[in-house]
Short mmCIF file of all heavy atoms in Angstrom, two decimals:
data_model
loop_
_atom_site.label_atom_id
_atom_site.label_comp_id
_atom_site.label_asym_id
_atom_site.label_seq_id
_atom_site.Cartn_x
_atom_site.Cartn_y
_atom_site.Cartn_z
N ILE A 663 -42.09 46.59 52.50
CA ILE A 663 -43.03 46.77 51.38
C ILE A 663 -44.47 46.70 51.88
O ILE A 663 -45.34 47.48 51.46
CB ILE A 663 -42.77 45.70 50.30
CG1 ILE A 663 -41.39 45.91 49.68
CG2 ILE A 663 -43.85 45.74 49.22
CD1 ILE A 663 -40.98 44.85 48.68
N ILE A 664 -44.73 45.77 52.82
CA ILE A 664 -46.08 45.65 53.37
C ILE A 664 -46.47 46.92 54.13
O ILE A 664 -47.60 47.41 54.03
CB ILE A 664 -46.17 44.41 54.27
CG1 ILE A 664 -45.99 43.13 53.43
CG2 ILE A 664 -47.49 44.37 55.02
CD1 ILE A 664 -45.84 41.87 54.25
N GLU A 665 -45.53 47.48 54.89
CA GLU A 665 -45.82 48.70 55.65
C GLU A 665 -46.09 49.88 54.72
O GLU A 665 -46.87 50.79 55.05
CB GLU A 665 -44.66 49.02 56.58
CG GLU A 665 -44.49 48.01 57.71
CD GLU A 665 -43.24 48.29 58.52
OE1 GLU A 665 -42.50 49.24 58.16
OE2 GLU A 665 -42.97 47.54 59.49
N ALA A 666 -45.46 49.89 53.56
CA ALA A 666 -45.65 51.00 52.61
C ALA A 666 -46.71 50.68 51.57
O ALA A 666 -46.72 51.27 50.48
CB ALA A 666 -44.33 51.31 51.94
N TYR A 667 -47.61 49.77 51.86
CA TYR A 667 -48.59 49.30 50.88
C TYR A 667 -49.47 50.44 50.38
O TYR A 667 -49.80 50.51 49.19
CB TYR A 667 -49.41 48.18 51.51
CG TYR A 667 -50.69 47.87 50.77
CD1 TYR A 667 -50.67 47.53 49.42
CD2 TYR A 667 -51.91 47.91 51.43
CE1 TYR A 667 -51.86 47.26 48.75
CE2 TYR A 667 -53.09 47.64 50.77
CZ TYR A 667 -53.06 47.31 49.42
OH TYR A 667 -54.22 47.05 48.75
N LYS A 668 -49.88 51.35 51.27
CA LYS A 668 -50.79 52.43 50.88
C LYS A 668 -50.07 53.60 50.20
O LYS A 668 -50.73 54.53 49.74
CB LYS A 668 -51.53 52.93 52.11
CG LYS A 668 -52.46 51.89 52.76
CD LYS A 668 -53.53 51.41 51.77
CE LYS A 668 -54.47 50.41 52.42
NZ LYS A 668 -55.50 49.93 51.47
N ASP A 669 -48.75 53.56 50.16
CA ASP A 669 -48.03 54.64 49.47
C ASP A 669 -48.26 54.57 47.96
O ASP A 669 -48.71 53.55 47.43
CB ASP A 669 -46.53 54.55 49.77
CG ASP A 669 -46.24 54.82 51.24
OD1 ASP A 669 -47.16 55.28 51.94
OD2 ASP A 669 -45.10 54.54 51.68
N GLU A 670 -47.92 55.68 47.30
CA GLU A 670 -48.17 55.77 45.87
C GLU A 670 -47.38 54.71 45.09
O GLU A 670 -47.84 54.22 44.06
CB GLU A 670 -47.77 57.17 45.37
CG GLU A 670 -48.01 57.38 43.89
CD GLU A 670 -47.60 58.77 43.45
OE1 GLU A 670 -47.17 59.56 44.31
OE2 GLU A 670 -47.72 59.05 42.24
N LEU A 671 -46.20 54.30 45.61
CA LEU A 671 -45.36 53.37 44.89
C LEU A 671 -45.97 51.97 44.81
O LEU A 671 -45.74 51.23 43.85
CB LEU A 671 -43.97 53.31 45.57
CG LEU A 671 -42.89 52.49 44.85
CD1 LEU A 671 -42.62 53.08 43.46
CD2 LEU A 671 -41.62 52.46 45.68
N TYR A 672 -46.75 51.60 45.84
CA TYR A 672 -47.31 50.24 45.89
C TYR A 672 -48.83 50.21 45.93
O TYR A 672 -49.42 49.16 46.19
CB TYR A 672 -46.77 49.49 47.12
CG TYR A 672 -45.27 49.36 47.15
CD1 TYR A 672 -44.50 50.16 48.00
CD2 TYR A 672 -44.62 48.44 46.34
CE1 TYR A 672 -43.13 50.04 48.02
CE2 TYR A 672 -43.24 48.33 46.36
CZ TYR A 672 -42.50 49.12 47.20
OH TYR A 672 -41.14 49.00 47.22
N ASP A 673 -49.51 51.33 45.70
CA ASP A 673 -50.97 51.34 45.82
C ASP A 673 -51.67 50.58 44.70
O ASP A 673 -52.89 50.38 44.74
CB ASP A 673 -51.48 52.79 45.85
CG ASP A 673 -51.09 53.56 44.59
OD1 ASP A 673 -50.42 52.95 43.71
OD2 ASP A 673 -51.42 54.75 44.49
N GLU A 677 -55.05 43.93 47.29
CA GLU A 677 -55.08 43.84 48.75
C GLU A 677 -55.02 42.39 49.22
O GLU A 677 -54.33 42.06 50.20
CB GLU A 677 -56.35 44.52 49.28
CG GLU A 677 -56.39 44.58 50.82
CD GLU A 677 -57.60 45.36 51.32
OE1 GLU A 677 -58.35 45.87 50.48
OE2 GLU A 677 -57.75 45.44 52.54
#
Side-chain angles (χ1 to χ4, degrees):
I663 295 175
I664 294 171
E665 292 174 359
Y667 164 56
K668 295 301 181 181
D669 294 349
E670 181 180 358
L671 187 61
Y672 300 105
D673 59 0
E677 185 175 357

